[in-house]
Amino acid sequence: MAQEYDVVIIGGGTGGYVAAIRASQLGLKTAIVENESLGGTCLHKGCIPSKALLRSAEVYQTIKKSEEFGVETEKPILNFNKVQQRKANIVDRLHKGVQHLMKKGKIDVYDGFGRILGPSIFSPLPGTVSVEMTDGSENEMLIPRNVIIATGSRTKSLPGLDIDGTYIVTSDEALEMEQLPSSIIIIGGGVIGIEWASMLADFGVEVTILEYAEQLLPAEDQEVSNELKRLFKKKNINVMTNAKVLSETLVKENGVAKISAEINGVSKEFFGEKILVAVGRAPNSSNIGLQNTDIELDNGYIKVNEYYQTNESHIYAIGDVIGGMQLAHTASHEGIKAVEHIAGENPSLLHYEYVPRCIYSNPEIASVGLTEKEAKEKGFKVKTGKFSFQAIGKALVFGEIDGFVKFVSDGETNDILGVHMIGPNVTDLISEAGLARVLDATPWEISQTVHPHPSLSEVMGEAALAVDGRAIHI
Ligand code: NAI
């Protein structure tokens, strides 16, 4: 049977479901098509479950060092079954929350795989969505005025390293592990590699990272990356940068995977019970009927304009499938902007240089805007200010004194170009830097903001003062 809608959204991840809620708020008749679970990668295979595991690892570490706080305990015992159960409960609760929001917004949810059809008896324009229903019932035909493609991305591997779920895994399989391996090789020292390395090391797993680039987290500020490397070494993580993995050397036998990598031209062997491949994600743009449209792709990513319209102006695309910053909060903001544009609301544009990037390792890392190197390459006369957590009272009270906040600013206009952080709770502290960028604040204005004492946020005021050599507690 054919159903008409104002908006049909293909993909119910963070981008898709948030767009659906906004569409419903704007009075648009909305449907969402999802072939796995509402909430998508972020809720089921990404942000939420991985952060739940990271939190358990952190608690385990904190209890191990509880004597430092004057709290004596027996040696803590890690029950990984319960760790996994807690993670599943959190995901389940949030999943129910999203389902409830769909009902509340009177959004029709189709459990199935959506494909875009070309011009047909239903519409002279491409965009009718055919849904292959998960329960095997007859395909549903959805006839929308507008479509939003929010199909996200999937894990990928390297040639020669097929994911077998036992020796070679991606974050998808790793999240479902029933027991921890004694050792692991992580290929890729990007966001996923760093979070997993941190978590597994805190759980007591022997971790090696093989990163192809010169530094861990190649997109982040070099000083942050160097500090991370130092702190990871303190956790006994074996960090190898400039590492070219030689897939053809892979041997899997007797519960051990062996692989070689060329480190600065010298071949070296590495062993692990598992290999976790974390070398980026691939867009879900094939098999969704794009060949029936004029939509253009760039390396698999859907090309869109600043309002997320594809070449077919009534078909929009948002989130990981358009590339760029593959982050849940980026996707949801893109979704809201796309829907508001559909509704003729003339939304403001999303400024990607204001979007915070957060890594939930221990220590946490967060940043917004340009790194010092990027700012210099763009020709800015760069001024920086840096302040360590060591001199922040609340950090001492917390027992977390590693790390710092660094401002990168324009020496001529005093504009903030970037803020980079590593240390306790920086994934929350970064919001002040994000707001500063939206309000076009200068470091001086941040330093005039009264930060409560004692609080970790004092590091922001001090780092801002440090840009002009005026930090107090140094
Ligand atoms: P990524 O792009 O962050 O990192 C991939 C890393 O693998 C890079 O450092 C790259 O140099 C390295 N690499 C590539 N080929 C290699 C090879 N042959 N040998 C060794 N190293 C190699 O991708 P990642 O970590 O897989 O994450 C995927 C996406 O998911 C990212 O866009 C990320 O932003 C997002 N994500 C975000 C999170 C967050 O916001 N906290 C958490 C997890 C994922």
Side-chain angles (χ1 to χ4, degrees):
M1 221 180 68
Q3 293 280 350
E4 294 191 1
Y5 288 97
D6 293 316
V7 188
V8 169
I9 299 165
I10 308 178
T14 314
Y17 88 71
V18 170
I21 294 170
R22 185 70 189 120
S24 128
Q25 286 173 349
L26 290 166
L28 302 173
K29 189 175 178 216
T30 307
I32 198 161
V33 183
E34 169 57 54
N35 75 319
E36 288 185 26
S37 295
L38 279 177
T41 299
C42 173
L43 177 51
H44 299 277
K45 297 177 179 173
C47 328
I48 300 297
S50 62
K51 267 80 248 174
L53 297 185
L54 276 155
R55 174 72 177 137
S56 287
E58 187 193 348
V59 169
Y60 184 50
Q61 277 304 313
T62 306
I63 295 172
K64 269 185 166 174
K65 59 177 189 186
S66 70
E67 262 192 55
E68 278 177 31
F69 297 82
V71 180
E72 290 174 9
T73 58
E74 299 287 318
K75 194 167 172 263
I77 297 165
L78 184 68
N79 182 333
F80 196 62
N81 250 334
K82 285 194 178 161
V83 169
Q84 285 287 32
Q85 193 50 54
R86 176 176 185 273
K87 176 204 83 180
N89 293 344
I90 293 167
V91 170
D92 188 49
R93 186 167 168 173
L94 290 170
H95 185 210
K96 289 200 173 92
V98 178
Q99 289 170 315
H100 165 76
L101 290 171
M102 295 300 103
K103 279 205 185 95
K104 188 176 158 221
K106 299 194 172 39
I107 296 156
D108 290 342
V109 178
Y110 291 86
D111 294 330
F113 194 94
R115 285 188 186 81
I116 297 175
L117 304 182
S120 64
I121 49 163
F122 300 112
S123 166
L125 290 176
T128 297
V129 175
S130 160
V131 186
E132 187 182 330
M133 299 300 287
T134 308
D135 64 7
S137 59
E138 200 182 322
N139 280 16
E140 296 274 357
M141 284 299 163
L142 314 182
I143 309 168
R145 282 184 33 236
N146 292 277
V147 178
I148 299 179
I149 302 170
T151 45
S153 64
R154 61 185 184 283
T155 55
K156 67 175 188 190
S157 189
L158 293 171
L161 292 185
D162 293 335
I163 305 305
D164 60 20
T166 309
Y167 289 98
I168 318 273
V169 297
T170 66
S171 54
D172 282 2
E173 292 78 25
L175 275 172
E176 302 309 324
M177 286 187 301
E178 285 173 9
Q179 58 192 45
L180 288 166
S182 59
S183 58
I184 194 159
I185 299 167
I186 299 180
I187 302 181
V191 183
I192 294 181
I194 293 307
E195 288 186 355
W196 277 91
S198 170
M199 174 216 302
L200 292 173
D202 281 352
F203 276 141
V205 177
E206 203 181 288
V207 179
T208 298
I209 304 176
L210 301 177
E211 164 56 49
Y212 185 76
E214 273 181 358
Q215 65 172 53
L216 294 176
L217 298 172
E220 295 301 329
D221 194 88
Q222 201 179 355
E223 282 191 79
V224 168
S225 176
N226 290 345
E227 177 72 349
L228 176 69
K229 191 171 181 179
R230 185 181 76 80
L231 296 173
F232 266 15
K233 283 191 168 164
K234 256 173 68 177
K235 274 186 200 281
N236 288 325
I237 297 175
N238 185 17
V239 178
M240 294 284 151
T241 47
N242 287 315
K244 187 172 170 222
V245 173
L246 306 168
S247 307
E248 66 281 8
T249 63
L250 173 70
V251 177
K252 307 185 276 190
E253 58 189 14
N254 303 328
V256 178
K258 183 176 85 174
I259 198 161
S260 297
E262 211 177 276
I263 320 277
N264 299 320
V266 180
S267 177
K268 224 178 146 197
E269 272 186 345
F270 297 91
F271 301 85
E273 213 176 295
K274 286 190 190 298
I275 296 180
L276 169 67
V277 186
V279 294
R281 295 178 63 88
N284 290 329
S285 58
S286 55
N287 203 19
I288 54 170
L290 298 187
Q291 72 284 1
N292 302 321
T293 70
D294 283 337
I295 292 173
E296 264 188 81
L297 296 177
D298 180 6
N299 211 6
Y301 293 100
I302 297 178
K303 282 169 89 169
V304 292
N305 68 12
E306 68 274 35
Y307 293 110
Y308 308 104
Q309 288 170 292
T310 66
N311 273 359
E312 304 274 5
S313 60
H314 62 299
I315 305 182
Y316 291 65
I318 59 157
D320 282 12
V321 77
I322 65 169
M325 293 175 112
Q326 293 182 307
L327 302 170
H329 47 272
T330 314
S332 55
H333 278 262
E334 290 169 349
I336 290 169
K337 305 259 176 221
V339 166
E340 290 179 349
H341 192 254
I342 287 169
E345 294 260 304
N346 194 20
S348 60
L349 299 182
L350 181 59
H351 292 279
Y352 289 88
E353 66 275 24
Y354 301 166
V355 175
R357 308 178 290 266
C358 294
I359 301 159
Y360 298 82
S361 45
N362 175 12
E364 290 188 342
I365 292 163
S367 63
V368 64
L370 300 178
T371 63
E372 183 177 350
K373 185 164 171 248
E374 285 167 342
K376 284 182 177 157
E377 280 167 1
K378 284 184 183 286
F380 287 103
K381 220 172 134 212
V382 170
K383 265 200 327 195
T384 63
K386 197 171 140 191
F387 199 85
S388 285
F389 279 103
Q390 274 185 53
I392 299 293
K394 183 84 176 277
L396 255 93
V397 170
F398 261 35
E400 303 283 347
I401 55 166
D402 288 317
F404 57 82
V405 167
K406 171 177 169 180
F407 274 71
V408 177
S409 65
D410 180 344
E412 280 165 0
T413 62
N414 281 329
D415 284 341
I416 297 170
L417 301 172
V419 182
H420 306 275
M421 308 178 162
I422 177 166
N425 290 17
V426 296
T427 59
D428 291 310
L429 294 180
I430 194 68
S431 290
E432 182 178 356
L435 180 64
R437 298 233 50 207
V438 171
L439 299 179
D440 205 12
T442 60
W444 180 81
E445 282 161 322
I446 299 233
S447 74
Q448 294 308 295
T449 307
V450 179
H451 293 92
H453 177 75
S455 74
L456 291 174
S457 71
E458 287 175 278
V459 73
M460 283 295 286
E462 290 277 22
L465 284 171
V467 172
D468 292 311
R470 295 189 295 130
I472 303 292
H473 292 90
I474 197 162

